[in-house]
Amino acid sequence: MSKKEEALAKFVEVVKKLSPEEFEDKYVKDGENIDETERKEKQEDGTSDMF
């Protein structure tokens, strides 16, 4: 296995152990601690143009 494949396998094992809430907090939320849908809505209404 390449280093990339090994790293991916380790990541998958870590993610499998997370609860859905932990996964969302660590890997779905962005810097403002909002999810992708909320961020897109903010972009569309012009309240956040950083992204």
Side-chain angles (χ1 to χ4, degrees):
M1 237 194 272
S2 73
K3 286 185 179 186
K4 192 182 257 187
E5 291 171 326
E6 288 176 23
L8 180 58
K10 287 179 185 178
F11 176 76
V12 169
E13 289 304 313
V14 168
V15 169
K16 282 180 181 179
K17 295 176 184 176
L18 296 176
S19 71
E21 293 81 16
E22 288 174 313
F23 177 82
E24 187 172 331
D25 286 342
K26 289 184 177 187
Y27 300 107
V28 179
K29 304 284 182 177
D30 66 14
E32 289 185 80
N33 206 24
I34 58 175
D35 69 27
E36 187 69 18
T37 303
E38 289 172 317
R39 187 168 65 81
K40 285 182 180 177
E41 289 170 357
K42 280 190 172 189
Q43 281 182 320
E44 290 172 3
D45 71 13
T47 58
S48 177
D49 58 355
M50 289 178 53
F51 300 98

